[in-house]
């Protein structure tokens, strides 16, 4: 039922129609749509709902059953917030529905109060309980229902992300018009047999149903088609990327028995089984003539550095250079010191490139590196990427990858064959994320910690506990331990309610810690100043370091076992865990106190999770659930376009399926050169060609 007036235009032209030419839009609304990034009809068609209001499962009050998930449509009659005698508060919202009343309850979530007004129409979903006179639902899901659908029963309505001035009902109407008029001209990317074999609805059927589903089943089918398509395109791109990597050349850097024993002699401890396993995997990769592309993940303190050192020495043993890039100057310098100690009795030539060098020192170093007179170069990623020309670069190690984009790796200056790449991260990566954001990497995992680690005790404390906590802190300092006090901001101008870093420092120096030597570390200090502070701390001249999260990653001072985190609600879970990782490094137990003012439910859950476990893998899973993969492994950080339809938590099965199918497709048609795969290839290159640096094949 293509629109008669438009049949003389090609589908592509029709889909590129600007939104303002659509019925019911006009210039003013077009402006609002533009704000959402919606310029053309095609943009509208693929602006998928972020959620749905499922009004199909409603009950009147007399039909409610205990313990089953049900929805009730009604009007807010009364909103009451009361404090409880024990502690906390309870919010009760009385809802009048057909056949009676329902009371919705929230415990200790006073901020929910502002979400309700008397007279508002709402749909609440949850498991009801009968309490004598009235039905109750604790912590139900609530949706506001617009008047547009006065008695809407048995309907699933789309919920779109909005912008100010644009209402839900209006956007629904606009998208409905676009769908009715233009869905019939959409091009199908899948060959017909492929669709049938993989249980995929045609796009012209799926698109209308993804916006305005007839029922849950149709919605599931329609969604499946788009989720599958999105994940297949991504997996095709990754599969082709792997294929193309296999065609590149890298030096063969084999770990012979002699080399292996020479390297191991340098280590002052026995490697753990996990470290040996990772080393075996890395050595196998580096022994091949194609570039290694490997991610080493291991919890904080699991001992990733020696694994990296092994790999670097392997390169050096074959007369190649290695570069070690750290996210901060503090970390670069620490790596340099660690390496310096390990290599004190070897002939390995080690260079540190930081912002603190004078112009001539720097020039000289760069010349030596370019002439092949330096074996291992340590520095921040920014510095190494910007100016260093290597003579024979064999390996690049990127430490604490989550701090910056892995995909910037290709911009390194290099001559000759590609180097091998090893990327290290202390943020464990859930499998679904590994298969998407890092799908072109091989992965090694350190799950075990070196022996002799003591546990870290974590306390969520309130203002009333401060005095007792500082008492304890002083006792430990007198026993010779050291500590960190971490605060989230350094500027006075920050309007946040907690004190700035300098204020924290002043109040400690003139208060609970006045008899101790304190230091101050933050991102505003110059590199030499930072080095000096860290050096004093390492040497014990500073007993407590007041700092921002600059110490978050990697800093290794085993005698520091105390930590205070101020404004804990300001930190993400991965960040908190990284911070705490600083105090679990030596032979003494660690003590971490978090002072927080958790204003949201999410912050509360985050802090509870942080207190409940020190297992980074477990915390990563929780974080993933609380915030979603988009936040945790943001596309911004990794340079991969975000997923628009698929949800890695919900759609893990489809992901595995798409991955298998993509591999099979690329094996049967390398480069996707067959005509029936032309559209798939085009979509793949459009979306991922740049991010993954795919050469256009065929
Ligand atoms: P991370 O994985 O967080 O980068 P590091 O490499 O900094 O961890 O190691 C943490 C600490 O554990 C360091 O002090 C390091 O010397 C020590 N370490 C590493 N491997 C071992 C081992 N096999 N046995 C004993 N100590 C080790
Ligand atoms: Mg480290």
């Amino acid at each position: 039922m293509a629109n008669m007036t438009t049949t003389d235009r090609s589908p592509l032209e029709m889909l590129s129609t600007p939104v303002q030419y659509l019925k019911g839009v006009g210039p003013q609304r077009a402006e609002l749509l533009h704000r959402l990034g919606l310029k053309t009809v095609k943009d509208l068609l693929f602006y998928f709902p972020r959620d749905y209001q499922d009004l199909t499962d409603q009950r009147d009050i007399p039909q409610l059953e205990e313990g089953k998930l049900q929805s009730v449509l009604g009007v807010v009659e009364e909103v009451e917030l009361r404090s409880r005698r024990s502690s906390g508060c309870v919010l009760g919202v009385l809802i009048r529905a057909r056949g009676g009343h329902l009371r919705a309850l929230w415990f200790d979530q006073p901020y929910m109060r502002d979400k309700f007004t008397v007279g508002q129409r709402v749909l609440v979903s949850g498991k009801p309980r009968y309490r004598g006179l009235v039905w109750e639902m604790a912590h139900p899901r609530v949706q506001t229902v617009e008047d547009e659908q006065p008695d809407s029963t048995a309907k699933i309505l789309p919920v779109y992300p909005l912008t100010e001035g644009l209402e839900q009902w209006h956007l629904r109407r606009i998208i409905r018009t676009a769908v009715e008029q233009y869905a019939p001209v959409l091009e199908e990317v899948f060959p017909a047999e492929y669709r049938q074999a993989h249980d995929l609805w045609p796009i012209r059927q799926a698109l209308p149903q993804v916006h305005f589903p007839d029922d849950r089943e149709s919605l599931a089918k329609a969604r499946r088609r788009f989720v599958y398509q999105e994940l297949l395109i991504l997996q095709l791109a990754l599969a082709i990327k792997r294929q193309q990597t296999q065609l590149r050349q890298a030096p063969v850097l084999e770990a012979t028995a002699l080399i292996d024993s020479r390297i191991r002699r340098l280590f002052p401890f026995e490697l753990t089984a996990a470290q040996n396993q990772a080393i075996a995997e890395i050595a196998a990769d580096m022994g091949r003539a194609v570039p290694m592309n490997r991610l080493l993940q291991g919890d904080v303190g699991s001992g990733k550095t020696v694994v990296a050192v092994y790999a670097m020495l392997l390169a050096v043993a074959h007369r190649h250079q290695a570069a070690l890039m750290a996210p901060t100057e503090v970390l670069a310098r620490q790596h340099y010191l660690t390496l310096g100690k390990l290599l004190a009795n070897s002939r390995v030539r080690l260079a540190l490139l930081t912002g603190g060098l004078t112009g001539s020192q720097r020039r000289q170093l760069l010349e030596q590196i370019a002439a092949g007179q330096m074996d291992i170069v340590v520095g921040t990623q920014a510095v190494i990427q910007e100016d260093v020309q290597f003579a024979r670069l064999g390996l690049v190690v990127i430490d604490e990858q989550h701090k910056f984009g892995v995909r910037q790796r290709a911009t390194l200056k290099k001559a000759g064959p590609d180097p091998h790449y090893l990327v290290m991260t202390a943020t464990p990566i859930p499998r679904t994320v590994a298969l998407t954001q890092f799908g072109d990497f091989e992965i090694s995992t350190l799950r075990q910690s070196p022996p002799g680690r003591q546990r870290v005790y974590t306390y969520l404390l309130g203002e009333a506990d401060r005095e007792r906590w500082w008492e304890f802190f002083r006792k430990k300092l007198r026993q010779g331990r050291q500590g960190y006090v971490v605060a989230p901001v350094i500027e006075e101008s920050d309007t946040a309610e907690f004190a700035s870093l300098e204020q924290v420092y002043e109040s400690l120096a003139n208060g609970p810690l006045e008899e101790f030597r304190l230091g101050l570390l933050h991102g505003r200090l110059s590199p030499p100043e930072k080095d000096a502070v860290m050096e004093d701390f390492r040497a014990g001249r500073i007993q407590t370091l007041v700092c921002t999260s600059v110490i978050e990653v990697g800093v290794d001072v085993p005698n520091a076992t105390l930590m205070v985190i101020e404004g804990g609600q300001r930190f993400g879970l991965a960040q908190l865990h990284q911070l705490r990782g600083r105090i679990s490094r030596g032979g003494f137990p660690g003590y971490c106190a978090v002072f927080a003012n958790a204003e949201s439910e999410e912050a509360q859950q985050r802090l509870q999770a942080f207190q409940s476990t020190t297992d980074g893998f477990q915390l990563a899973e929780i974080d993933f659930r609380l915030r979603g993969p988009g936040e945790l492994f943001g596309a911004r950080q990794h340079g991969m376009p975000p997923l628009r339809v698929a949800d890695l938590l919900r759609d893990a099965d489809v992901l595995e399926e798409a991955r298998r199918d993509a591999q099979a497709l690329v094996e049967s048609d390398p480069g996707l050169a067959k005509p029936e795969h032309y559209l798939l290839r085009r979509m793949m290159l459009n979306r991922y060609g740049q991010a993954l640096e795919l050469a256009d094949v065929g």
Side-chain angles (χ1 to χ4, degrees):
M1 48 158 189
N3 190 312
M4 289 302 284
T5 60
T6 48
T7 44
D8 51 338
R9 294 193 293 152
S10 74
L12 201 64
E13 285 170 329
M14 289 173 65
L15 294 174
S16 316
T17 307
V19 287
Q20 60 264 38
Y21 300 134
L22 212 58
K23 207 175 94 206
V25 178
Q28 232 167 13
R29 293 241 163 69
E31 199 47 50
L32 293 173
L33 293 173
H34 288 175
R35 258 195 252 154
L36 293 169
L38 305 173
K39 300 242 158 66
T40 65
V41 160
K42 186 171 174 201
D43 295 336
L44 281 175
L45 295 183
F46 289 94
Y47 195 63
F48 286 177
R50 70 166 159 75
D51 199 2
Y52 297 86
Q53 292 187 347
D54 187 347
L55 312 185
T56 57
D57 179 25
Q58 287 173 44
R59 310 254 178 139
D60 295 344
I61 299 298
Q63 271 79 55
L64 285 174
E65 285 173 72
E66 284 214 349
K68 258 195 207 160
L69 186 68
Q70 294 145 83
S71 301
V72 172
L73 181 67
V75 175
V76 173
E77 204 168 81
E78 192 182 282
V79 185
E80 190 186 23
L81 182 63
R82 267 183 306 165
S83 50
R84 279 186 291 171
R85 206 173 312 140
S86 46
S87 69
C89 61
V90 58
L91 175 69
V93 176
L94 192 67
I95 293 161
R96 179 167 37 84
R98 266 212 294 257
H101 283 83
L102 173 85
R103 188 187 302 282
L105 296 171
W106 283 267
F107 298 98
D108 296 329
Q109 296 183 1
Y111 48 88
M112 286 296 293
R113 206 228 156 283
D114 301 335
K115 300 203 171 164
F116 298 97
T117 48
V118 170
Q120 185 182 24
R121 285 169 66 79
V122 290
L123 181 75
V124 290
S125 311
K127 292 180 181 170
R129 288 174 63 177
Y130 193 59
R131 287 300 179 99
L133 284 171
V134 70
W135 283 90
E136 286 184 359
M137 264 187 208
H139 295 223
R141 191 182 132 100
V142 181
Q143 297 175 315
T144 313
V145 179
E146 289 82 5
D147 292 336
E148 172 221 9
Q149 305 280 348
D151 254 328
S152 50
T153 47
K155 262 211 184 310
I156 302 177
L157 298 175
V159 178
Y160 300 101
L162 296 173
T163 183
E164 206 181 311
L166 187 64
E167 307 219 29
Q168 194 61 252
W169 66 269
H170 205 132
L171 187 54
R172 279 179 189 154
R173 191 182 286 171
I174 292 168
I175 290 182
R176 190 185 280 281
T177 308
V179 167
E180 277 167 3
Q181 214 172 329
Y182 292 93
V185 306
L186 284 166
E187 266 182 313
E188 179 62 60
V189 292
F190 292 114
E193 301 101 84
Y194 191 93
R195 267 202 306 97
Q196 272 141 27
H198 296 269
D199 186 25
L200 300 168
W201 269 11
I203 193 163
R204 294 177 190 184
Q205 180 184 2
L207 193 102
Q209 289 295 314
V210 104
H211 288 284
F212 307 101
D214 290 334
D215 48 45
R216 284 169 168 277
E217 221 184 340
S218 306
L219 173 58
K221 282 282 197 186
R223 234 193 124 251
R224 171 183 158 77
R225 187 231 140 88
F226 292 106
V227 168
Y228 180 91
Q229 175 175 329
E230 180 170 52
L231 294 172
L232 183 80
I233 298 280
L234 168 60
Q235 293 300 322
L236 283 173
L238 292 167
I240 285 179
K241 171 74 178 176
R242 284 193 297 266
Q243 261 184 357
Q244 292 183 354
T245 307
Q246 294 301 305
L247 298 174
R248 297 222 304 270
Q249 291 284 315
V252 175
L253 309 171
E254 236 174 324
T256 62
L258 182 63
I259 292 176
D260 179 78
S261 72
R262 281 193 183 154
I263 296 177
R264 282 172 194 270
R265 265 209 309 264
L266 296 170
F267 298 148
F269 37 65
E270 282 293 308
L271 299 190
T272 63
Q275 284 169 326
N276 280 323
Q277 171 72 27
I279 284 173
E281 288 163 359
I282 289 165
D285 283 0
M286 290 175 67
R288 296 172 60 223
V290 296
M292 166 169 78
N293 205 26
R294 188 169 282 278
L295 186 73
L296 174 61
Q297 59 169 341
D299 210 343
V300 283
S302 59
K304 293 183 289 295
T305 313
V306 270
V307 176
V309 171
Y310 185 103
M312 291 193 288
L313 293 176
L314 188 51
V316 175
H318 287 274
R319 300 169 168 279
H320 277 76
Q321 293 165 302
L324 173 55
M325 307 196 212
T328 64
E329 298 246 342
V330 168
L331 263 188
R333 177 155 177 89
Q334 179 181 289
H335 278 314
Y336 177 74
L337 295 175
T338 308
L339 283 166
K341 266 185 236 150
L342 284 174
L343 303 176
N345 300 315
S346 77
R347 274 170 305 182
V348 177
R349 297 160 299 182
L350 188 61
L352 175 67
L353 257 185
T354 62
L357 298 175
T358 66
S360 66
Q361 283 172 327
R362 179 189 189 81
R363 258 194 312 280
Q364 196 191 347
L365 253 183
L366 291 177
E367 273 165 27
Q368 288 174 317
I369 296 167
Q373 293 159 0
M374 284 294 171
D375 300 307
I376 296 179
V377 181
V378 183
T380 58
Q381 191 188 28
V383 170
I384 292 185
Q385 219 164 244
E386 208 169 288
D387 3 275
V388 186
Q389 179 84 54
F390 290 88
R392 272 158 73 80
L393 185 59
L395 172 72
V396 173
V397 180
I398 305 183
D399 190 21
E400 308 294 0
Q401 157 284 324
H402 64 281
K403 285 271 114 180
F404 39 66
V406 227
R407 293 182 195 288
Q408 292 161 21
R409 66 196 185 280
T411 59
L412 247 165
K413 286 184 191 163
K414 55 169 202 275
D418 286 343
H420 296 282
Y421 271 96
L422 178 65
V423 176
M424 306 198 284
T425 173
T427 307
I429 298 171
R431 176 173 165 81
T432 49
V433 177
L435 292 184
T436 48
Q437 304 288 358
F438 299 98
D440 51 334
F441 284 80
E442 306 296 327
I443 295 183
S444 296
T445 304
L446 299 182
R447 261 204 176 263
Q448 181 188 23
S449 285
R453 284 289 150 78
Q454 297 279 325
R455 63 167 294 190
V456 177
Y457 299 88
T458 305
Y459 312 99
L460 289 184
L461 299 183
E463 291 308 312
D465 307 311
R466 273 193 197 272
E467 211 158 307
R468 259 181 51 225
W469 164 256
W470 287 120
E471 188 76 40
F472 173 78
F473 197 96
R474 285 192 293 264
K475 192 178 99 195
K476 290 288 166 189
L477 289 183
R478 286 192 202 105
Q479 288 170 4
R481 305 286 79 73
Q482 290 166 276
Y484 301 94
V485 177
V486 185
V489 283
I490 78 155
E491 275 174 317
E492 286 282 20
S493 64
D494 195 309
T495 51
E497 70 280 14
F498 45 82
S500 75
L501 190 69
E502 271 97 349
Q503 277 170 341
V504 170
Y505 179 89
E506 288 303 321
S507 69
L508 290 175
N510 301 315
L513 299 182
E514 70 185 332
E515 63 193 279
F516 300 96
R517 297 181 301 275
L518 306 186
L520 189 60
L521 184 69
H522 54 74
R524 293 274 183 88
L525 298 179
S526 71
E529 287 170 326
K530 276 188 219 163
D531 284 348
V533 173
M534 273 319 289
E535 208 34 65
D536 284 345
F537 188 59
R538 255 187 216 108
R541 289 187 291 273
I542 289 174
Q543 290 169 292
T544 291
L545 194 59
V546 181
C547 53
T548 55
S549 56
V550 290
I551 59 135
E552 171 195 336
V553 288
V555 168
D556 187 18
V557 179
N559 190 47
T561 60
L562 301 164
M563 178 170 284
V564 181
I565 299 174
E566 297 282 350
Q569 75 280 1
R570 287 298 179 106
F571 295 98
L573 198 45
Q575 216 182 356
L576 288 169
H577 182 61
Q578 284 289 325
L579 285 170
R580 181 169 58 186
R582 300 312 107 216
I583 55 166
S584 56
R585 323 221 112 215
F588 299 100
Y591 302 92
C592 177
V594 185
F595 291 95
N597 169 15
E599 57 284 267
S600 75
E601 194 186 343
E602 200 245 284
Q604 256 164 33
Q605 287 177 336
R606 191 166 1 115
L607 291 165
Q608 289 296 343
F610 179 61
Q611 186 183 31
S612 70
T613 178
T614 51
D615 180 339
F617 283 84
Q618 217 174 317
L619 287 172
E621 287 291 338
I622 296 172
D623 205 13
F624 184 58
R625 269 162 226 286
L626 285 180
R627 292 197 296 161
E631 278 280 323
L632 185 52
F633 296 95
R636 191 173 43 81
Q637 279 173 28
H638 299 297
M640 287 282 271
L643 293 171
R644 288 187 283 214
V645 201
D647 168 341
L648 293 182
L649 280 174
R650 263 169 81 180
D651 302 318
D653 292 350
V654 186
L655 171 62
E656 300 283 353
E657 182 186 348
R659 180 158 175 265
R660 280 193 306 272
D661 295 347
Q663 266 157 4
L665 255 178
V666 167
E667 266 160 41
S668 73
D669 180 15
L672 297 177
K674 289 187 185 160
E676 66 265 36
H677 297 148
Y678 172 77
L679 286 175
L680 279 176
R681 195 181 96 222
R682 198 181 69 189
M683 280 182 91
M684 174 200 78
L685 287 173
N686 273 346
R687 192 137 176 80
Y688 296 106
Q690 209 176 3
L692 289 175
E693 298 166 324
L694 298 174
D696 188 357
V697 283

